[in-house]
Amino acid sequence: AFDKTGTLTVGHPRVVAIETVPGIAPAEALALAVAANAASTHPLAVALREKMGSDTNFEKKVSDPVFYSAAEAKVHAGLGVSAAAGGEELLFGNARWMRELGAADPLADAAQRLQAAGNSVSYLARRRDAAVEVLAVFAFADAPRAGAREAIERLAAMGIETTMISG
């Protein structure tokens, strides 16, 4: 088994797409995702901060440009992160976690399309009372590590079955 990030890829994912529900602008979703991941050093959290920092017009695109400060940050192993920000609980993580939380997924088609294009997908949601509401889906891409394909092909030629572990 191979771990994808940093083994089969270079280990530097970047945000390549943000799809949102009506009423949430991509820049707003990005600000909320950065707030939810403020205490995280995960490569996807770093990619979110880099995306926000690379957007020179960021403050003009966010309805309330005040940076969302996060508190009560928690890591949910294998699922995602949560934090209190802007008076609500923000959740950032994988589709499995969203299903476990009972969140309706109005962006399922967008997520499927982004994954079919070879991207990793994470969801941004918020919890209001007991309901979890999906706000956005983020697509991340990481360049393949040089020689990774050839190494896997050589293993296959030797009859060794390989598996990729991700997320």
Side-chain angles (χ1 to χ4, degrees):
F2 290 94
D3 178 37
K4 182 179 76 170
T5 305
T7 303
L8 298 177
T9 65
V10 296
H12 191 85
R14 67 193 190 293
V15 177
V16 294
I18 304 170
E19 299 279 343
T20 61
V21 297
I24 301 289
E28 191 82 15
L30 179 60
L32 292 169
V34 167
N37 283 277
S40 178
T41 59
H42 189 281
L44 298 184
V46 173
L48 290 166
R49 287 190 289 274
E50 287 176 354
K51 176 73 171 171
M52 193 162 114
S54 70
D55 190 344
T56 56
N57 294 317
F58 179 75
E59 288 190 8
K60 293 177 186 172
K61 294 180 182 177
V62 177
S63 61
D64 181 4
V66 175
F67 182 78
Y68 297 91
S69 60
E72 302 173 33
K74 296 176 189 157
V75 173
H76 304 270
L79 301 171
V81 296
S82 63
E88 57 196 11
E89 182 181 16
L90 298 174
L91 310 156
F92 188 85
N94 61 34
R96 179 177 65 136
W97 191 29
M98 296 300 125
R99 284 190 303 274
E100 288 177 8
L101 293 169
D105 187 358
L107 298 172
D109 290 343
Q112 187 174 29
R113 178 178 40 79
L114 293 166
Q115 285 178 316
N119 300 302
S120 296
V121 172
S122 292
Y123 284 85
L124 171 69
R126 67 177 157 214
R127 186 188 320 259
R128 288 192 172 161
D129 300 319
V132 176
E133 173 186 15
V134 168
L135 303 176
V137 65
F138 290 75
F140 297 88
D142 194 358
R145 182 176 290 279
R149 177 184 299 264
E150 293 80 8
I152 291 171
E153 288 172 353
R154 280 191 300 251
L155 291 170
M158 295 186 308
I160 299 171
E161 192 173 320
T162 60
T163 302
M164 179 176 67
I165 300 169
S166 180

